[in-house]
Amino acid sequence: MNSSKILEIKNLSVTFRTSVGEVPAVRGLDLDLKKGEIIAIVGESGSGKSATARAIMGLLENNGKIKSGMANFTYSRNGETVCCDLLSLSRKEIRKHINGRRIAMVFQDPMTSLDPTMTIGKQLTEGMVIHYKTPKKEAWRKASELLEMVGIHDAEKRMKNYPHQLSGGMRQRVVIAIALSCNPDILICDEPTTALDVTIQAKILDLIAGLQRKTGVSVIYITHDLGVVARVADYVAVMYAGRIVEKGTANEIFYHARHPYTWGLLSAMPSLDSSGELYVIPGSPPDLSGYKGGDPFADRNAYALNIDRRIDPPMFRITETHYAATWLLDPRAPKVSMPAELEVRIRHMRKEEEYGI
Ligand code: ADP
Ligand code: MG
């Protein structure tokens, strides 16, 4: 795999103006996406996943503001390598040069991205005709190939359909096909399967992984469900209260997690053999509107140390690819390891993977 960085996000901070003051929605986020890689951004609702994606794409709501940061995007234009900071572009420039063509985004509800009054064929060909001046006939042929590629086999017939004539899973496939129609370098999927049932979710995720291999596109996959990305993500970033609290290769996050929040997410994952009640992380995500410092996870963290109340932990480096923001990694902290039940669970997961269950 080519390991050059295609997107390098540095120190991204986003706030929203609200009636109760400024809400820090994203706080100093660093994340790299390498060429041809699938990274997952995982975290409970409200952790700042969408705000991160929207900030990069110039799609923040009017009360949103980028306080700091860079998002260096490296791409090739007419055979030349170009690098630009997406956060320094105007919305207009992003819309004209980046959105859709170079970076495409798929949202949770396909109905909001599909036009109910236009046929699927028209919606699939529009981007190619507008951005690349592809002749209509050729665009139509490409569109039908794209539909086949996303697993819609009666493509010719479906092209003449309107969105309401398709099932939810099929609509999401169409949205993915549209996103890929302009050959983007990066595909950002923001909770694209949440509204779909678990079997269809798994199929869509496999589809995205397959498309990644076929087209070489780099993928940022956003979800609140750590379980769904286990099989497909190369790299995982766990977000909590606007920060990345742990990031690492899929192997590091699933088998060697170091942050108590990640332990909670792993324990809460449904598994094949889970019987009885599922573990839930106690409490709920904090309201950051009055944030005064300290680790926002402390109140829900059975392993919290006194220092957590005062100072938000820095990012500790565990390996070249694995980082976690927890004071437990400070050399002065007491030795703590993950809960015993979770260790058992992870051993099971590893066995399942080894035997390909
Ligand atoms: P996620 O996608 O992880 O569920 P979001 O990025 O949507 O989280 O939200 C992060 C935080 O920012 C939350 O506290 C949310 O309430 C707040 N927020 C998001 N969008 C807005 C907005 N347009 N106005 C005010 N607050 C917002
Ligand atoms: Mg979201």
Side-chain angles (χ1 to χ4, degrees):
M1 188 189 292
N2 184 338
S3 65
S4 61
K5 285 178 198 169
I6 184 164
L7 183 68
E8 185 181 24
I9 308 173
K10 276 206 176 314
N11 195 31
L12 173 65
S13 295
V14 177
T15 60
F16 287 105
R17 201 171 5 86
T18 71
S19 55
V20 291
E22 279 212 332
V23 181
V26 181
R27 303 185 295 130
L29 179 139
D30 295 317
L31 190 62
D32 294 341
L33 172 66
K34 291 185 190 138
K35 215 170 166 185
E37 186 178 54
I38 301 185
I39 63 174
I41 301 181
V42 182
E44 282 165 295
S45 170
S47 54
K49 307 180 297 294
S50 296
T52 301
R54 300 182 76 91
I56 296 166
M57 297 290 284
L59 294 174
L60 276 184
E61 292 80 353
N62 287 333
N63 63 332
K65 193 168 175 197
I66 296 169
K67 285 286 189 183
S68 71
M70 285 190 317
N72 293 327
F73 172 46
T74 306
Y75 60 98
S76 134
R77 189 173 60 199
N78 307 327
E80 240 179 276
T81 303
V82 186
C83 180
C84 71
D85 176 7
L86 296 175
L87 304 187
S88 71
L89 299 182
S90 70
R91 285 184 180 220
K92 205 169 142 205
E93 285 172 311
I94 291 202
R95 214 168 300 133
K96 185 147 177 244
H97 300 294
I98 306 290
N99 284 7
R101 295 176 73 165
R102 303 203 178 271
I103 307 183
M105 196 151 165
V106 172
F107 295 97
Q108 178 177 346
D109 179 5
M111 265 329 221
T112 57
S113 19
L114 291 174
D115 183 335
T117 67
M118 256 204 253
T119 61
I120 302 299
K122 181 99 192 0
Q123 299 189 54
L124 265 164
T125 51
E126 212 178 24
M128 291 186 260
V129 173
I130 294 173
H131 291 314
Y132 292 109
K133 313 268 179 294
T134 311
K136 277 212 171 109
K137 217 166 162 190
E138 193 187 329
W140 192 266
R141 186 182 52 76
K142 278 196 178 153
S144 126
E145 276 172 23
L146 274 166
L147 280 186
E148 293 278 344
M149 198 160 90
V150 297
I152 294 179
H153 298 301
D154 43 358
E156 279 297 323
K157 177 182 146 211
R158 291 303 182 187
M159 300 265 281
K160 296 186 191 107
N161 280 165
Y162 288 88
H164 74 267
Q165 293 170 296
L166 273 56
S167 69
M170 225 188 256
R171 282 200 288 261
Q172 196 53 291
R173 285 168 193 265
V174 169
V175 173
I176 294 167
I178 293 174
L180 293 174
S181 68
C182 290
N183 247 333
D185 299 313
I186 301 178
L187 176 67
I188 302 180
C189 302
D190 190 355
E191 309 243 18
T193 62
T194 311
L196 305 172
D197 80 49
V198 182
T199 345
I200 300 173
Q201 272 191 40
K203 281 197 184 138
I204 298 267
L205 216 68
D206 287 343
L207 169 73
I208 290 173
L211 292 170
Q212 191 292 315
R213 283 190 293 271
K214 247 181 248 162
T215 64
V217 68
S218 312
V219 180
I220 299 179
Y221 191 92
I222 295 175
T223 174
H224 63 268
D225 186 347
L226 186 57
V228 307
V229 298
R231 288 176 308 154
V232 297
D234 299 302
Y235 198 81
V236 180
V238 177
M239 278 190 86
Y240 187 81
R243 274 190 87 187
I244 291 180
V245 293
E246 183 159 14
K247 58 184 177 180
T249 62
N251 183 64
E252 285 165 337
I253 295 298
F254 284 97
Y255 299 142
H256 306 283
R258 300 295 291 275
H259 197 290
Y261 181 60
T262 313
W263 294 343
L265 290 181
L266 286 166
S267 307
M269 258 168 52
S271 73
L272 292 175
D273 62 353
S274 58
S275 44
E277 297 228 337
L278 263 184
Y279 172 82
V280 263
I281 303 172
S284 47
D287 171 7
L288 285 177
S289 53
Y291 178 66
K292 295 247 173 8
D295 183 349
F297 184 55
D299 286 339
R300 303 173 72 186
N301 183 3
Y303 305 89
L305 305 172
N306 285 334
I307 191 171
D308 282 310
R309 311 275 166 197
R310 291 184 288 117
I311 309 172
D312 210 8
M315 207 39 131
F316 288 91
R317 179 182 185 274
I318 301 153
T319 71
E320 204 182 315
T321 46
H322 190 186
Y323 295 81
T326 162
W327 283 116
L328 295 178
L329 292 173
D330 189 282
R332 292 160 295 179
K335 287 273 156 290
V336 167
S337 39
M338 67 172 70
E341 310 87 73
L342 180 59
E343 251 173 66
V344 174
R345 189 148 203 232
I346 288 174
R347 261 204 305 275
H348 274 288
M349 282 183 356
R350 294 193 84 134
K351 265 206 198 109
E352 281 176 12
E353 188 175 291
E354 248 169 64
Y355 300 117
I357 299 171

